[in-house]
DNA sequence: AATAATGACAACCGCAGCTAT
DNA sequence: CATAGCTGCGGTTGTCATTAT
């Protein structure tokens, strides 16, 4: 026998989440921590399946998510990681800690794919350069492997990997140089990071974004080491300094601006948490420097894949630098022969 | 002004691997 | 060990907003 069934298919609600549902979910996770999704619909009264709850949390409500406005650096990383890893969006997302796999996937499908195709067609107007199509889908896909000889494919893969590593090196060094670059700037700034694109987004969208901000307020409550000038607005920081810094580097002020809430949300919030005064949030204890177990749970879970945390970036950096040094000392200069550099073309136009 | 086409993104579906029973 | 549910992932669809006609 297996486990009991996850959720009834009957009476399960579908479609967009309402602010009320978001708040129910958030408040439940705040109390119980993420995980055990099977129990969530039952315990919250949400008429959603566990899968939907998990998805809503990981793609939208989870703290530390940055939305919209992909930076050039992020674009480059996505392009090269896609070339390196194929359509493994979760793996790619693990290198962009503020982005969800869904977000990256959408961005790839709606922006980057077109951009690359356009670029390809500009630089290779003749129809025999059909490889651009296949390289856009996945360089490691079986059909690509079949379409060229094994030797050619392996050579290209080597090249692609090398180029991707180079791009990652560039990206990482640039991140290290500019720790407060625009990758980090929007989450707590109070401005809508999606403003350019979604100026006309619905009240609902902005409310849920506010919920995410609220969560950020709940979970970013670590005592300030110094009344720091630098507002590190990032939930995570990239690079090797993350482990030491990220607990101290976050803006502390809890965001409980009830003006941001719709009247409806406000009502639900008040029913859930009582009256919210501007100077005193129901979670004001957090801001006094004591992180609740739930908050640390958020911290641990907020990026589910452990691949994506700073430690891994350090590993990657190590990997990159080791590889670079090998190539520098190295011997055969094998790359010189590899003139077929599709990835470089992709990077150049950015 | 009305309608169609397109874009952007949230959410769903189905599959595969893992794991509890 | 076998079975069936849980979870995560990638592909796809649905919906709403914007732009073009």
């Amino acid at each position: 026998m297996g486990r009991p069934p996850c959720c009834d298919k009957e009476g399960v609600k579908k479609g967009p989440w309402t602010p009320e549902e978001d708040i129910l979910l958030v408040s439940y996770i705040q109390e119980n921590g993420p995980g055990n999704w099977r129990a969530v619909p039952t315990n919250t009264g949400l008429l959603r399946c566990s899968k939907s709850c998990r998805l809503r949390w990981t793609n939208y409500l989870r703290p530390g998510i940055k939305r919209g406005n992909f930076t050039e650096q992020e674009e480059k990383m996505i392009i090269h990681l896609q070339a390196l890893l194929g359509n493994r969006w979760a793996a790619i997302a693990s290198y962009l800690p503020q982005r969800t796999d869904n977000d990256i996937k959408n961005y790839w499908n709606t922006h980057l794919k077109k951009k690359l195709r356009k670029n390809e067609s500009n630089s290779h107007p003749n129809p025999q350069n059909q490889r651009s199509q296949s390289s856009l889908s996945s360089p490691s896909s079986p059909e690509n492997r079949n379409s060229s000889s094994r030797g050619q494919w392996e050579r290209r893969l080597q090249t692609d990997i090398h180029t991707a590593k180079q791009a990652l090196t560039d990206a990482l060094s640039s991140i290290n140089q500019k720790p407060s670059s625009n990758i980090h700037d929007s989450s707590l700034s109070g401005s809508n990071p999606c403003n350019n694109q979604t100026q006309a987004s619905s009240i609902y969208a902005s409310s849920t974004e506010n919920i995410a901000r609220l969560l950020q307020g709940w979970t970013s409550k670590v005592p300030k080491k110094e009344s720091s000038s630098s507002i590190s607005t990032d939930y995570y920081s990239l690079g090797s300094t993350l482990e030491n810094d990220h607990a101290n580097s976050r803006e502390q002020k809890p965001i409980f601006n009830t003006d941001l809430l719709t009247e409806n949300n406000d009502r639900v919030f008040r029913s859930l948490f009582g009256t919210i005064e501007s100077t005193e949030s129901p979670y004001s204890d957090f801001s006094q420097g004591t992180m609740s177990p739930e908050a640390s749970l958020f911290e641990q879970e907020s990026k589910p894949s452990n691949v994506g945390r700073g430690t891994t970036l350090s590993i990657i950096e190590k990997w990159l630098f080791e590889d670079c040094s090998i190539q520098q000392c190295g011997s055969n200069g094998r790359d010189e022969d590899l003139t077929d550099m599709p990835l470089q073309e992709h990077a150049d136009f950015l």
Side-chain angles (χ1 to χ4, degrees), chain A residues 139-238:
Chain A
S140 54
S141 62
E143 60 268 30
N144 292 342
R145 267 169 274 181
N146 294 337
S147 69
S148 57
S149 75
R150 182 184 164 84
Q152 282 175 328
W153 178 80
E154 281 180 354
R155 215 170 69 141
R156 176 165 303 156
L157 184 62
Q158 283 279 4
T159 309
D160 289 356
I161 288 171
H162 169 69
T163 314
K165 284 179 185 177
Q166 192 55 53
L168 270 171
T169 311
D170 295 344
L172 288 167
S173 62
S174 139
I175 286 166
N176 287 338
Q177 281 163 16
K178 297 185 291 177
S180 57
S181 70
N182 52 355
I183 292 179
H184 308 281
D185 62 3
S186 60
S187 16
L188 286 174
S189 63
S191 64
N192 187 344
C194 316
N195 270 349
N196 293 341
Q197 284 183 326
T198 57
Q199 194 70 45
S201 60
S202 64
I203 291 171
Y204 165 57
S206 61
S207 330
T208 50
E209 190 169 322
N210 291 336
I211 291 171
R213 290 204 191 137
L214 291 173
L215 277 165
Q216 234 167 356
W218 296 351
T219 58
S220 314
K221 306 302 175 293
V222 184
K224 273 186 184 173
K225 209 170 190 174
E226 50 204 52
S227 60
S228 121
S229 44
S230 72
I231 300 178
S232 175
T233 58
D234 208 350
Y235 195 74
Y236 301 109
S237 40
L238 293 174

Side-chain angles (χ1 to χ4, degrees), chain A residues 29 51 77 83 85 106 123 167 190 214 240 251-252 260 307 333 348:
Chain A
I29 293 174
K51 211 171 176 177
M77 284 191 78
L85 302 168
N106 282 333
S123 53
L214 291 173
S240 56
E251 173 60 39
Q252 299 307 310
L260 293 172
V307 180
D348 286 342

Side-chain angles (χ1 to χ4, degrees), chain A residues 42 115 136 156 168 194 205 243 299 347:
Chain A
T42 320
K115 224 168 167 180
L136 287 181
R156 176 165 303 156
L168 270 171
C194 316
E243 306 273 284
E299 284 253 311

Side-chain angles (χ1 to χ4, degrees), chain A residues 42-202:
Chain A
T42 320
N43 295 342
T44 58
L46 284 166
L47 300 174
R48 299 275 181 174
C49 76
S50 55
K51 211 171 176 177
S52 182
C53 295
R54 182 181 59 81
L55 210 62
R56 184 64 181 170
W57 171 255
T58 51
N59 284 340
Y60 209 92
L61 298 174
R62 175 165 62 81
I65 293 178
K66 182 182 169 192
R67 316 194 68 77
N69 290 349
F70 279 75
T71 65
E72 200 173 298
Q73 206 60 248
E74 287 174 309
E75 280 193 8
K76 281 187 181 180
M77 284 191 78
I78 291 169
I79 288 167
H80 288 283
L81 285 166
Q82 202 277 343
L84 180 63
L85 302 168
N87 293 355
R88 293 170 57 199
W89 305 116
I92 292 171
S94 69
Y95 297 105
L96 295 160
Q98 294 182 306
R99 303 293 187 179
T100 68
D101 53 354
N102 207 35
D103 218 13
I104 292 171
K105 181 172 60 181
N106 282 333
Y107 191 67
W108 173 264
N109 287 329
T110 55
H111 293 87
L112 297 179
K113 218 151 107 175
K114 279 180 218 160
K115 224 168 167 180
L116 292 178
R117 279 200 183 130
K118 193 178 168 188
N119 183 63
E120 281 289 318
S121 62
N122 286 343
S123 53
H124 303 288
N126 57 339
Q128 72 186 30
N129 280 292
Q130 294 298 325
R131 65 173 168 78
S132 58
Q133 289 286 336
S134 54
S135 73
L136 287 181
S137 60
S138 170
S140 54
S141 62
E143 60 268 30
N144 292 342
R145 267 169 274 181
N146 294 337
S147 69
S148 57
S149 75
R150 182 184 164 84
Q152 282 175 328
W153 178 80
E154 281 180 354
R155 215 170 69 141
R156 176 165 303 156
L157 184 62
Q158 283 279 4
T159 309
D160 289 356
I161 288 171
H162 169 69
T163 314
K165 284 179 185 177
Q166 192 55 53
L168 270 171
T169 311
D170 295 344
L172 288 167
S173 62
S174 139
I175 286 166
N176 287 338
Q177 281 163 16
K178 297 185 291 177
S180 57
S181 70
N182 52 355
I183 292 179
H184 308 281
D185 62 3
S186 60
S187 16
L188 286 174
S189 63
S191 64
N192 187 344
C194 316
N195 270 349
N196 293 341
Q197 284 183 326
T198 57
Q199 194 70 45
S201 60
S202 64

